[in-house]
Amino acid sequence: MSDRNKELAARKAVEYIRDGMVVGLGTGSTAEFAIRALGERVEKEGLEIQCVPTSEASAALGEELGLDMQSLEDNPVIDLTIDGADEVDPNLNLIKGLGGALLREKIVAAASAREVIIIDPGKLVDRLGTRSPLPVEVIPFAWGLAKLRLVDLCRRAELRRRDDDEPYVTDNGNFILDCHFVDGIADAASLELSINQIPGVVENGLFVGLTDIVVVGLDDGQCRVMERST
Ligand code: 5RP
C-alpha cells in the first residue's frame, strides 16, 4: 500500500493533538509519518507537547525533529497515542509487532487515555491472524520452551531472524516468535491471556480493547474514521 495512504491517516490523526498534551509516539513506517507531522505542527504552531516514544527508533526521530522527549517513568499518564498496526478487525482489536516494538507499544497504549491507530486499507481484516503472524516477545533463555508451548496454540511459531540469520533482538533485549494460524484467531481475548501465561513470554501483539479510534487513509484521498462503540 502506498505511502500516500499512510501519510493521509497520519496527518488526520495528528489533528487530534492539542496544546499541552502528553503524546505517545508509535513505531513503524506509518507512525513515522505522524511523528514528522507532529514535528511540523509543533514548529509552526509553537505547541507545548511532551512525547513518550514506544521504541528507540521513534525516540531518535523525535529528538532529531526537536520534540520534547520524555520517559514513561516521568509521564505515566498519556493523553493520546498515535500508532500503526499490522491488522485491525471490525471490533478495533489489533495485531501489532511486525516492527518489533509490541511490548513498549502495549505499555504505552495501556497508559493512554486515547489510542489512535493509523493504517492503510490493507490492514483491515475480518478476523485477526489471517494476514499477519502474531508476534510474541520472549526472554532469550526461554525461547525454546515458549516455542514448544506456542505450537499448542497456533500452527507454527518461528524465531524471528535478522538478514544475517542471527536472532532479531528487541529494544528490551528479547527475542520474538512469530505465530502463524490456519484460519486466524477465533477468540483474541482468551488467546492473549493464554499466551501470556507461558513461562518466559513477556508480551504478545494482540491488542484487545485498547483502541479508541482507527483512521484509515483511503485511495481517494479521504480518511475513514472508525470509533470504538462504548
Ligand atoms: C511495530 C508495530 C507497527 O506499528 C506495525 O508493524 C505497523 O508498521 P507499519 O506502519 O510500518 O506497517 O506494531 O511494532
Side-chain angles (χ1 to χ4, degrees):
M1 202 54 67
S2 81
D3 280 354
R4 192 163 163 266
N5 300 72
K6 296 180 183 183
E7 187 171 0
L8 264 172
R11 287 192 177 277
K12 176 77 183 165
V14 165
E15 289 175 12
Y16 290 104
I17 295 172
R18 298 275 171 266
D19 195 23
M21 278 187 169
V22 177
V23 176
L25 304 182
T27 297
S29 56
T30 319
E32 183 177 330
F33 280 112
I35 299 171
R36 291 189 185 282
L38 175 60
E40 283 176 23
R41 276 199 65 192
V42 166
E43 201 177 309
K44 274 192 206 142
E45 300 170 38
L47 301 179
E48 303 255 344
I49 301 292
Q50 292 182 308
C51 300
V52 177
T54 55
S55 63
E56 300 298 330
S58 296
L61 177 61
E63 262 155 36
E64 185 190 314
L65 296 169
L67 294 173
D68 179 3
M69 304 306 293
Q70 298 282 329
S71 66
L72 184 66
E73 189 181 317
D74 290 335
N75 288 283
V77 179
I78 296 170
D79 294 302
L80 183 137
T81 290
I82 301 177
D83 204 347
D86 301 303
E87 286 186 349
V88 177
D89 80 3
N91 296 318
L92 309 194
N93 294 327
L94 319 172
I95 284 183
K96 285 184 53 56
L98 283 195
L102 63 116
L103 175 57
R104 295 189 195 182
E105 288 174 332
K106 201 185 261 192
I107 294 168
V108 168
S112 300
R114 280 216 289 180
E115 176 83 358
V116 181
I117 295 298
I118 48 177
I119 54 166
D120 58 62
K123 305 280 183 69
L124 291 170
V125 294
D126 289 333
R127 182 185 261 209
L128 295 177
T130 44
R131 280 191 215 161
S132 166
L134 171 64
V136 177
E137 183 156 346
V138 295
I139 66 163
F141 176 80
W143 83 265
L145 172 67
K147 177 175 166 145
L148 207 63
R149 296 282 171 88
L150 281 167
V151 290
D152 289 337
L153 301 171
C154 68
R155 181 167 62 96
R156 201 172 85 243
E158 281 173 3
L159 183 67
R160 191 181 296 183
R161 293 186 182 275
R162 305 185 315 207
D163 289 345
D164 64 4
D165 215 35
E166 288 299 310
Y168 172 89
V169 178
T170 69
D171 284 350
N172 317 297
N174 297 317
F175 291 170
I176 287 185
L177 288 162
D178 287 310
C179 298
H180 299 259
F181 296 82
V182 183
D183 291 316
I185 297 166
D187 184 344
S190 104
L191 183 66
E192 184 187 17
L193 295 177
S194 302
I195 290 177
N196 284 1
Q197 280 171 0
I198 297 172
V201 166
V202 183
E203 193 47 89
N204 69 77
L206 284 168
F207 282 49
V208 178
L210 287 173
T211 304
D212 298 289
I213 297 173
V214 173
V215 182
V216 191
L218 303 175
D219 291 340
D220 64 3
Q222 303 294 310
C223 284
R224 176 179 170 199
V225 178
M226 301 153 74
E227 296 200 27
R228 181 155 61 123
S229 45
T230 45

